Amino acid sequence: MDNNEVLILTGSDSDLPKMEEAAKILKEFGVKFEMTISSAHRSPERTEELIEEAKSSGVKVIIVGAGMAAHLAGVIASRFPLPVIGVPLESGTLSGVDAFLSTLQMPPGMPVATMAINGARNAGILAVQILATSNPQLKEKLVAYKKRLAMEVEEKAVSLNKYGNK
Amino acid sequence: MDNNEVLILTGSDSDLPKMEEAAKILKEFGVKFEMTISSAHRSPERTEELIEEAKSSGVKVIIVGAGMAAHLAGVIASRFPLPVIGVPLESGTLSGVDAFLSTLQMPPGMPVATMAINGARNAGILAVQILATSNPQLKEKLVAYKKRLAMEVEEKAVSLNKYGNK
Amino acid sequence: MDNNEVLILTGSDSDLPKMEEAAKILKEFGVKFEMTISSAHRSPERTEELIEEAKSSGVKVIIVGAGMAAHLAGVIASRFPLPVIGVPLESGTLSGVDAFLSTLQMPPGMPVATMAINGARNAGILAVQILATSNPQLKEKLVAYKKRLAMEVEEKAVSLNKYGNK
Amino acid sequence: MDNNEVLILTGSDSDLPKMEEAAKILKEFGVKFEMTISSAHRSPERTEELIEEAKSSGVKVIIVGAGMAAHLAGVIASRFPLPVIGVPLESGTLSGVDAFLSTLQMPPGMPVATMAINGARNAGILAVQILATSNPQLKEKLVAYKKRLAMEVEEKAVSLNKYGNK
Amino acid sequence: MDNNEVLILTGSDSDLPKMEEAAKILKEFGVKFEMTISSAHRSPERTEELIEEAKSSGVKVIIVGAGMAAHLAGVIASRFPLPVIGVPLESGTLSGVDAFLSTLQMPPGMPVATMAINGARNAGILAVQILATSNPQLKEKLVAYKKRLAMEVEEKAVSLNKYGNK
Amino acid sequence: MDNNEVLILTGSDSDLPKMEEAAKILKEFGVKFEMTISSAHRSPERTEELIEEAKSSGVKVIIVGAGMAAHLAGVIASRFPLPVIGVPLESGTLSGVDAFLSTLQMPPGMPVATMAINGARNAGILAVQILATSNPQLKEKLVAYKKRLAMEVEEKAVSLNKYGNK
Amino acid sequence: MDNNEVLILTGSDSDLPKMEEAAKILKEFGVKFEMTISSAHRSPERTEELIEEAKSSGVKVIIVGAGMAAHLAGVIASRFPLPVIGVPLESGTLSGVDAFLSTLQMPPGMPVATMAINGARNAGILAVQILATSNPQLKEKLVAYKKRLAMEVEEKAVSLNKYGNK
Amino acid sequence: MDNNEVLILTGSDSDLPKMEEAAKILKEFGVKFEMTISSAHRSPERTEELIEEAKSSGVKVIIVGAGMAAHLAGVIASRFPLPVIGVPLESGTLSGVDAFLSTLQMPPGMPVATMAINGARNAGILAVQILATSNPQLKEKLVAYKKRLAMEVEEKAVSLNKYGNK
């Protein structure tokens, strides 16, 4: 994990595609990261090793995607002293409600910065925002990113056939 | 934990009174147990040590009470090969819904036998039922317990002033 | 039911495929079982007879799958003194929420060990865990099973193209 | 139960006060009834006996109040061929949501006429309406009852200080 | 509506197919009925006329299917003195939850006998049960119907390949 | 109702205090109104008469407060051609969720402008906003009202002990 | 926006088709309007400019469609003194529940007239009703519209094969 | 706001006490902050001014507490390029469910790091964690804080009367 500032982790390979949006944002902003899988429940030792590795190699933010009981972000938050971002993933029959309650309702002392259900892109942006608190270049890029989003709305509004009854 | 067959665990001392009902049942049925606290998030090392101790000392069932994100039962289920019973506890503003979804919606491979919200007494009874699968005396006691419950209903029905319009 | 340690029961034949996962696990672990159908509401007599048969033939655990109002596990728990495992099945329009509340919220005295919605595989594993409390061979198999799950995660992690921006 | 047309049943004596509203309505309309307790889970034999007694003695409607998993109405509906009215009672932490889903979501073939949470009074009225389908005097009383409700609204509206800004 | 004992009403023609199950049951039991549409909101006058017609022509039970805000059953219950059965229909994005709360949570004085979401068949059976309280032949048919349901379960159980590991 | 522009209606006198906030706003803005009670279910004729009276006397907006199944606003919307504002009131055990779904989920053709649970004050403001679309003085008052709200926040912020760690 | 009485706004072009129903109604009633996009979060400046433009050009009602966190209607209500109608749109995994709570639960002082999920047609009708409070011709059209809806129900009822068992 | 690294903002003074837990943590960790109020809806201009002030004075993290529709965190996230932490506050009748959905379900591009309902303490800790990504001293303090939490659990476990049946 040398030189990586962000670790993206998810409990199973089937959830990786949902987390790609976070990876895309980090690439777009030039943030070094690694993305791998480990389950809170099926591979607890591997999960612990990854946390230790992240701690010793200078990872600053861990992004975690998980569905259903979604304990992974909490397990990591219990051992990692820096920000943990949780992305509740839709899985099973409950539309992701189980996952976001498991991710959100952490007890005092162990925050998980929770995103919308399937909100991997925002997880990537929040990680960039966190790094930008000490990186003026990233901050400028974020300001530019916000402007681009606003401009895209303007452009779409213009390109639309004006609806109206004139 | 020597000779104890059941370990009752809860994440904080404030939840212990809610778990007393489980302890009462175990005493009533003459099952040896220990009851202590450890948090999945605040004391992850202690939690692991307790699991290792339980494994080596012959504990057969672990009963876990937890509220809110309620990861404790899942964390234990990930490392303990025998039955884990989860009691979702009411805590915070969501009436225990967060706790039971976190306890119930475990992924394939790691069951947690989930009880009703605040259902500590039933956790005790299920632990006895599990031990009774190889203990004919406990099984007889369970049969007697069921009969007593039925008789209590009958007695109450008799003692009630018969409601009716005769 | 002679020699069977587990009975798998579901309310209708349309639910049987969802319960196959439980059967598969029991086969994998070499646990003898029988699987049949009986409805709490449409065939109450048959349900009672099956419970009596299970009691007299030495069945140690009953796994019950049911959807919607899902009373079957509770009805069995009211008459069977050993562990009853309930699998709430998705059916109708409510994503299984009706079924898990009906299965989970049992009153004091009559526990049903509730699994995740459609969690038949975990029901099978819990049944094995219960039998393993008095069967060292099954316990060893469970330890091995847990290791295999962890190894599968490791192998998948290796086989994945390492995501990252090096 | 001789000559009683309605049986009011609830799972525990603590729920009886909530069911008094049903009894009051039946008295008001001059319908003969009996009110007693029996639990679906703790006293299944007693419950069956009561159903058999109700069947042989000419009871035409059974009103059932139950909380939490609330299987009692369904268990009765599975054995009683005439109308069963279910009153989900608030109990535990879920505001009665568990009870009404357990009462409402009955499978095809076994209806339970479900009332609002704690809606015992309406259960009494529905029982009267059912009997009134073959009893013109009861029907007249129901028409009068409806008129009285409307008149009470009128009277209250008059007695109120007219709010307004004249 | 002459000679009809039951009126089936739904708010729009698109909901009629869902209500066919009720009609089928009534035909099967030989109960005379009529089925038509009228909206609580779009055609309030027609709805009132239908209620008046039902009252004067001897209809004994009205079955109402409605989705979303689902006021139709309540509107009818406010003017019809005999039993009103409500079938909440799935419609829109909320899986029928809006419809069953609107149907179920009637205030004291105006019961609606609420069925499961889309539970039209049970509405038909409940209507038959209500008529059977004064019709011994219908009651016998209901007893036979219950037996047939139980026998169907038995037959299916036999015809299934016995699952098991012998 | 002569000269009144707004009618405030609620189903029972016990709900009137919750609706006082709407009356207060109307008084504050100098809008003439009348406030009375009528139930959709208990007094349907009175409700219809009130609607007819409102139509003929020039009422422009009807504000309706109702709890539980909360059909009153919909019933009025089905007969009144101008804006109907619905205030779902908390009542019973479901925190007002039943009331707002019954008020909100109106079918196409019959809107009810739904407010927050117990949101009577906003109902008053919306009524003023509606009248202000053709009344410049009211519009000015609304602009002033918005400014006052903003100033109150500023004043409170100043009067607060500045929290901070200087 | 000159001469337009209504502005229809939605947060993204992908939501425009859902809002077409509102536009259709306004055209049908001959109300002048404009329809465009602006996001509360991605283009806050554009949103403010549109509000200012609407204020100065005489727009009387703003209809807002938004999904998920759905802040757009509230943001507009905070700055626009006349009626704001909110249409919660289904988007993401939560069936529109997130959107309607964000739209409905506005604090005292800032009402948003909330419609059903995806209820764009009713938003159009409510806008017409609001304008009709000072426009007798529009009011007549609304009365005619209501009659047409009722007649359509009658016609459908006639054209249906009378269901029944004669 | 000079030299402050964190701004704590809440919509009304009545919510300030709930946010004190965040302030306490920041003081404990020696992080400079300011705490004030501004409403998204009642004082939108003040809110914008505070954001501009925060941007120009070097604030790195904004913590926002809000209840009900809870748009404040989203409004700030739309204009502030660095991390925004949202604390959904319990308010009204929905236990904070409205507030957390409004805070959590932000659209792509505008993350809000959402905490548990009333989770102000965790908001403070997350703010410290964010600053600690570029401040080794803060990071050490966080490691020490985690140890202290673990030790407190150990101490409580020891001080408890060992529950058990020896």
Side-chain angles (χ1 to χ4, degrees):
Chain A
M1 286 187 206
D2 290 346
N3 294 317
N4 287 324
E5 294 189 293
V6 178
L7 171 64
I8 303 177
L9 205 55
T10 183
S12 103
D13 55 330
S14 62
D15 289 335
L16 273 178
K18 291 186 191 159
M19 297 307 291
E20 294 270 352
E21 291 278 310
K24 244 194 269 179
I25 287 286
L26 295 178
K27 272 186 200 144
E28 199 178 320
F29 280 86
V31 171
K32 286 183 184 252
F33 68 96
E34 187 174 6
M35 186 161 164
T36 187
I37 62 171
S38 187
S39 164
H41 299 119
R42 280 170 298 141
S43 59
E45 278 87 4
R46 175 176 162 78
T47 301
E48 277 186 40
E49 286 161 20
L50 284 168
I51 300 169
E52 290 315 308
E53 205 182 323
K55 285 204 279 200
S56 64
S57 70
V59 163
K60 291 175 175 167
V61 181
I62 301 182
I63 295 173
V64 183
M68 295 189 69
H71 296 184
L72 187 57
V75 162
I76 289 169
S78 75
R79 294 170 183 272
F80 188 68
L82 295 174
V84 176
I85 303 173
V87 183
L89 299 178
E90 189 190 8
S91 175
T93 72
L94 296 179
S95 312
V97 169
D98 41 4
F100 81 66
L101 288 176
S102 287
T103 307
L104 189 75
Q105 289 292 82
M106 289 293 290
M110 303 287 153
V112 169
T114 307
M115 300 290 100
I117 300 167
N118 295 336
R121 194 193 304 186
N122 275 354
I125 296 169
L126 179 60
V128 174
Q129 290 177 323
I130 289 169
L131 298 173
T133 58
S134 62
N135 181 334
Q137 273 178 313
L138 273 185
K139 191 173 161 183
E140 268 170 51
K141 283 188 193 173
L142 282 163
V143 172
Y145 179 78
K146 265 188 149 50
K147 277 197 192 129
R148 213 160 56 241
L149 289 177
M151 255 169 51
E152 282 169 23
V153 173
E154 301 258 8
E155 285 163 15
K156 270 186 192 158
V158 170
S159 74
L160 287 168
N161 293 328
K162 282 259 180 168
Y163 294 75
N165 57 356
K166 291 160 223 175
Chain B
M1 286 187 208
D2 290 345
N3 296 317
N4 287 324
E5 295 190 294
V6 178
L7 170 64
I8 304 178
L9 204 56
T10 182
S12 104
D13 56 329
S14 62
D15 289 336
L16 273 178
K18 292 187 191 157
M19 298 306 293
E20 293 271 354
E21 290 279 311
K24 243 195 270 180
I25 286 286
L26 295 178
K27 272 186 201 145
E28 199 179 321
F29 279 87
V31 171
K32 288 184 181 252
F33 68 98
E34 185 174 8
M35 185 160 164
T36 187
I37 62 171
S38 186
S39 164
H41 299 120
R42 281 169 298 140
S43 59
E45 279 86 4
R46 176 175 161 77
T47 302
E48 276 185 41
E49 286 162 21
L50 283 167
I51 300 169
E52 289 314 309
E53 207 183 322
K55 285 204 280 199
S56 63
S57 71
V59 164
K60 290 176 177 165
V61 180
I62 302 181
I63 295 174
V64 183
M68 295 189 71
H71 297 185
L72 188 56
V75 162
I76 290 169
S78 74
R79 294 169 183 274
F80 189 68
L82 295 174
V84 176
I85 302 174
V87 183
L89 298 177
E90 190 191 7
S91 175
T93 71
L94 297 179
S95 309
V97 170
D98 41 4
F100 80 66
L101 288 176
S102 287
T103 307
L104 188 75
Q105 288 292 80
M106 289 292 290
M110 302 287 152
V112 169
T114 308
M115 301 288 100
I117 300 168
N118 295 336
R121 193 192 306 184
N122 275 353
I125 295 169
L126 179 60
V128 175
Q129 289 177 324
I130 288 168
L131 299 173
T133 58
S134 61
N135 182 332
Q137 275 177 310
L138 274 184
K139 190 174 162 184
E140 267 170 51
K141 284 189 192 173
L142 282 163
V143 172
Y145 178 78
K146 268 191 147 51
K147 276 199 192 127
R148 211 160 56 245
L149 289 177
M151 256 168 52
E152 281 169 22
V153 174
E154 301 258 5
E155 285 163 15
K156 271 186 190 157
V158 170
S159 73
L160 288 167
N161 291 327
K162 282 262 179 166
Y163 293 78
N165 58 354
K166 293 157 221 178
Chain C
M1 286 186 207
D2 289 346
N3 294 320
N4 287 324
E5 294 189 294
V6 179
L7 170 63
I8 304 178
L9 205 56
T10 183
S12 104
D13 55 330
S14 62
D15 289 335
L16 273 178
K18 292 187 191 160
M19 298 306 291
E20 294 270 352
E21 291 278 311
K24 244 194 268 181
I25 286 286
L26 295 179
K27 272 185 201 147
E28 198 178 319
F29 279 87
V31 171
K32 287 186 183 253
F33 68 96
E34 186 174 6
M35 187 161 165
T36 187
I37 62 171
S38 187
S39 164
H41 299 120
R42 281 169 297 141
S43 59
E45 278 86 4
R46 174 174 164 78
T47 302
E48 278 186 39
E49 286 162 18
L50 284 168
I51 300 169
E52 290 315 309
E53 205 182 323
K55 286 204 279 200
S56 64
S57 70
V59 164
K60 291 176 176 166
V61 181
I62 301 182
I63 295 173
V64 184
M68 294 189 71
H71 296 186
L72 187 57
V75 163
I76 290 169
S78 74
R79 294 170 183 272
F80 188 68
L82 294 174
V84 177
I85 302 173
V87 183
L89 298 178
E90 189 191 9
S91 174
T93 72
L94 296 179
S95 311
V97 169
D98 41 5
F100 80 67
L101 289 175
S102 287
T103 307
L104 189 76
Q105 289 291 81
M106 290 292 290
M110 302 288 152
V112 170
T114 308
M115 299 291 100
I117 300 167
N118 296 336
R121 194 193 306 185
N122 276 354
I125 295 170
L126 179 60
V128 175
Q129 290 177 322
I130 289 169
L131 299 174
T133 58
S134 63
N135 182 332
Q137 275 177 310
L138 273 184
K139 190 173 162 185
E140 267 171 50
K141 283 187 193 174
L142 282 163
V143 172
Y145 178 78
K146 265 188 151 50
K147 277 197 192 128
R148 212 159 56 242
L149 289 177
M151 255 169 51
E152 281 169 22
V153 174
E154 302 257 8
E155 284 164 15
K156 270 185 191 159
V158 169
S159 75
L160 287 167
N161 291 328
K162 283 258 178 168
Y163 294 76
N165 58 353
K166 290 160 227 175
Chain D
M1 285 187 208
D2 290 345
N3 294 319
N4 287 324
E5 294 189 294
V6 179
L7 170 64
I8 304 178
L9 205 56
T10 182
S12 102
D13 55 330
S14 62
D15 289 335
L16 273 178
K18 293 187 190 158
M19 298 306 293
E20 294 271 353
E21 291 278 311
K24 243 194 271 180
I25 287 285
L26 295 178
K27 272 184 201 146
E28 198 179 319
F29 279 86
V31 172
K32 287 185 183 252
F33 68 97
E34 185 174 9
M35 185 161 164
T36 187
I37 61 170
S38 186
S39 164
H41 300 119
R42 281 170 297 141
S43 59
E45 278 86 5
R46 175 175 163 77
T47 302
E48 276 185 41
E49 286 161 19
L50 284 167
I51 299 169
E52 290 314 309
E53 206 182 322
K55 286 203 280 198
S56 63
S57 70
V59 165
K60 291 177 176 163
V61 181
I62 302 182
I63 295 173
V64 183
M68 294 188 70
H71 296 185
L72 188 57
V75 162
I76 289 169
S78 75
R79 295 170 183 272
F80 188 67
L82 294 174
V84 176
I85 302 173
V87 183
L89 299 177
E90 190 190 7
S91 174
T93 73
L94 296 179
S95 311
V97 170
D98 42 4
F100 81 66
L101 288 176
S102 287
T103 308
L104 187 76
Q105 289 291 82
M106 289 292 289
M110 302 288 152
V112 169
T114 308
M115 299 289 101
I117 300 167
N118 295 336
R121 194 193 303 183
N122 276 353
I125 296 170
L126 179 60
V128 175
Q129 289 177 324
I130 289 168
L131 299 173
T133 58
S134 62
N135 181 332
Q137 275 177 311
L138 273 185
K139 191 173 160 185
E140 267 171 51
K141 284 188 192 173
L142 282 163
V143 172
Y145 179 77
K146 266 190 149 50
K147 276 196 192 128
R148 210 158 60 244
L149 289 177
M151 257 170 50
E152 281 169 23
V153 174
E154 301 257 8
E155 284 163 17
K156 271 186 189 158
V158 170
S159 75
L160 287 166
N161 291 328
K162 282 258 179 167
Y163 294 77
N165 58 356
K166 292 157 224 176
Chain E
M1 288 188 207
D2 290 346
N3 295 318
N4 287 324
E5 293 189 294
V6 179
L7 170 63
I8 304 178
L9 204 56
T10 183
S12 102
D13 55 330
S14 62
D15 289 335
L16 273 178
K18 292 188 191 159
M19 298 307 292
E20 293 271 351
E21 291 277 311
K24 245 194 268 180
I25 286 285
L26 295 178
K27 272 185 201 147
E28 199 179 320
F29 280 86
V31 172
K32 288 186 183 250
F33 68 97
E34 186 173 8
M35 186 161 165
T36 187
I37 62 171
S38 186
S39 163
H41 299 120
R42 280 170 296 141
S43 59
E45 277 87 2
R46 174 175 163 77
T47 301
E48 276 185 42
E49 287 161 19
L50 284 168
I51 300 169
E52 289 314 308
E53 206 183 321
K55 285 204 280 199
S56 63
S57 70
V59 164
K60 291 176 176 165
V61 180
I62 302 182
I63 295 173
V64 184
M68 295 189 71
H71 297 184
L72 188 56
V75 162
I76 290 169
S78 74
R79 294 171 183 271
F80 189 68
L82 294 173
V84 176
I85 302 173
V87 182
L89 298 177
E90 189 191 8
S91 174
T93 72
L94 297 179
S95 312
V97 170
D98 40 5
F100 81 67
L101 288 175
S102 287
T103 307
L104 188 76
Q105 288 292 82
M106 289 293 290
M110 302 288 153
V112 170
T114 307
M115 299 290 101
I117 299 167
N118 296 336
R121 194 192 307 184
N122 275 354
I125 296 170
L126 179 60
V128 175
Q129 289 177 324
I130 289 168
L131 299 173
T133 59
S134 63
N135 182 333
Q137 275 178 312
L138 274 184
K139 190 173 161 185
E140 268 170 52
K141 283 187 193 174
L142 282 163
V143 172
Y145 178 77
K146 266 188 151 49
K147 278 199 192 128
R148 210 159 57 242
L149 289 178
M151 255 169 51
E152 280 169 21
V153 174
E154 302 257 7
E155 285 163 14
K156 271 186 191 159
V158 170
S159 74
L160 287 167
N161 292 327
K162 281 259 177 167
Y163 293 75
N165 58 354
K166 293 157 221 177
Chain F
M1 288 188 206
D2 290 345
N3 294 321
N4 287 324
E5 294 189 294
V6 179
L7 170 64
I8 304 178
L9 205 55
T10 183
S12 104
D13 56 329
S14 63
D15 289 334
L16 272 179
K18 291 187 191 159
M19 297 307 293
E20 295 270 353
E21 291 278 311
K24 242 193 272 181
I25 287 284
L26 295 178
K27 272 184 201 147
E28 198 179 320
F29 280 86
V31 171
K32 287 183 183 254
F33 70 97
E34 185 173 9
M35 186 162 164
T36 187
I37 62 169
S38 187
S39 163
H41 299 121
R42 280 169 298 141
S43 60
E45 278 86 5
R46 175 175 162 77
T47 301
E48 276 185 40
E49 286 161 22
L50 284 167
I51 300 169
E52 290 314 309
E53 206 183 323
K55 286 204 281 198
S56 64
S57 71
V59 164
K60 290 176 177 165
V61 181
I62 302 182
I63 295 173
V64 183
M68 294 190 71
H71 296 184
L72 188 56
V75 162
I76 290 169
S78 75
R79 295 171 182 271
F80 189 67
L82 294 174
V84 176
I85 302 174
V87 183
L89 299 177
E90 190 190 7
S91 174
T93 73
L94 296 180
S95 310
V97 170
D98 41 4
F100 80 67
L101 288 177
S102 287
T103 308
L104 188 76
Q105 289 292 81
M106 289 292 290
M110 301 288 151
V112 169
T114 308
M115 300 288 101
I117 301 167
N118 295 336
R121 193 193 305 185
N122 275 354
I125 296 170
L126 179 60
V128 175
Q129 289 177 325
I130 289 169
L131 299 173
T133 58
S134 62
N135 181 332
Q137 275 178 313
L138 273 184
K139 190 173 162 185
E140 267 171 50
K141 284 188 192 173
L142 282 164
V143 172
Y145 178 78
K146 265 189 150 49
K147 278 200 190 126
R148 210 159 59 245
L149 289 177
M151 256 169 50
E152 281 169 23
V153 174
E154 302 256 7
E155 284 163 15
K156 270 187 190 158
V158 170
S159 74
L160 286 168
N161 291 327
K162 281 256 179 169
Y163 293 76
N165 58 355
K166 293 158 222 178
Chain G
M1 287 187 207
D2 290 346
N3 295 318
N4 287 324
E5 293 190 294
V6 178
L7 170 64
I8 304 177
L9 205 56
T10 183
S12 103
D13 55 330
S14 62
D15 289 335
L16 274 178
K18 291 187 191 157
M19 298 306 291
E20 294 270 353
E21 291 279 310
K24 245 193 270 179
I25 287 285
L26 295 179
K27 273 184 200 146
E28 199 180 320
F29 279 87
V31 172
K32 286 182 184 255
F33 69 97
E34 186 174 8
M35 185 162 166
T36 187
I37 62 171
S38 187
S39 164
H41 299 121
R42 281 170 296 141
S43 59
E45 278 87 3
R46 176 176 161 77
T47 302
E48 278 186 40
E49 286 162 19
L50 284 167
I51 300 170
E52 290 315 307
E53 207 183 321
K55 286 204 279 199
S56 63
S57 70
V59 164
K60 291 176 176 164
V61 181
I62 301 182
I63 296 173
V64 184
M68 295 189 71
H71 297 183
L72 188 57
V75 163
I76 290 169
S78 75
R79 294 171 184 272
F80 189 68
L82 294 174
V84 177
I85 302 174
V87 183
L89 299 177
E90 190 190 8
S91 174
T93 73
L94 296 178
S95 311
V97 170
D98 40 5
F100 81 67
L101 289 175
S102 287
T103 307
L104 188 76
Q105 288 292 81
M106 288 294 289
M110 302 287 153
V112 169
T114 308
M115 299 290 100
I117 300 168
N118 296 335
R121 194 193 306 185
N122 275 354
I125 296 169
L126 179 59
V128 175
Q129 289 176 324
I130 289 168
L131 298 174
T133 58
S134 62
N135 180 333
Q137 274 177 312
L138 274 184
K139 191 173 162 185
E140 267 170 51
K141 283 188 193 173
L142 282 163
V143 172
Y145 178 78
K146 265 188 150 49
K147 275 196 193 132
R148 211 159 56 242
L149 289 178
M151 255 168 53
E152 281 169 22
V153 174
E154 301 258 8
E155 285 163 15
K156 270 187 191 158
V158 170
S159 75
L160 287 167
N161 292 327
K162 282 257 179 169
Y163 293 75
N165 58 356
K166 293 158 221 176
Chain H
M1 286 189 207
D2 290 345
N3 295 319
N4 285 324
E5 293 188 294
V6 178
L7 169 65
I8 303 178
L9 205 56
T10 183
S12 104
D13 56 329
S14 61
D15 289 335
L16 273 178
K18 292 188 191 158
M19 298 306 293
E20 294 270 353
E21 290 279 310
K24 243 194 271 179
I25 286 286
L26 295 178
K27 271 184 202 148
E28 199 179 321
F29 279 87
V31 172
K32 287 183 182 252
F33 68 98
E34 186 174 9
M35 187 162 163
T36 187
I37 62 170
S38 187
S39 164
H41 299 121
R42 280 168 298 139
S43 60
E45 278 86 5
R46 175 175 161 77
T47 302
E48 277 185 40
E49 285 161 20
L50 283 167
I51 300 169
E52 290 313 309
E53 207 182 321
K55 284 204 280 198
S56 63
S57 71
V59 164
K60 290 177 176 164
V61 181
I62 302 181
I63 296 173
V64 183
M68 295 189 70
H71 296 184
L72 187 57
V75 163
I76 289 169
S78 74
R79 294 171 183 270
F80 188 68
L82 295 174
V84 176
I85 303 174
V87 183
L89 298 177
E90 191 191 6
S91 175
T93 72
L94 296 180
S95 311
V97 170
D98 41 4
F100 80 67
L101 288 177
S102 287
T103 307
L104 188 76
Q105 288 292 80
M106 289 292 290
M110 302 287 152
V112 169
T114 308
M115 300 288 101
I117 300 167
N118 296 336
R121 194 193 305 183
N122 276 353
I125 296 169
L126 179 60
V128 175
Q129 289 176 324
I130 288 169
L131 299 173
T133 57
S134 62
N135 182 332
Q137 275 178 311
L138 274 184
K139 191 173 160 184
E140 267 171 50
K141 284 188 192 174
L142 282 164
V143 172
Y145 178 78
K146 268 190 146 51
K147 279 201 188 124
R148 211 159 58 244
L149 290 177
M151 257 170 50
E152 281 170 22
V153 174
E154 301 258 6
E155 285 164 16
K156 270 185 189 158
V158 169
S159 75
L160 286 167
N161 290 326
K162 281 258 180 168
Y163 293 76
N165 57 354
K166 293 157 221 181

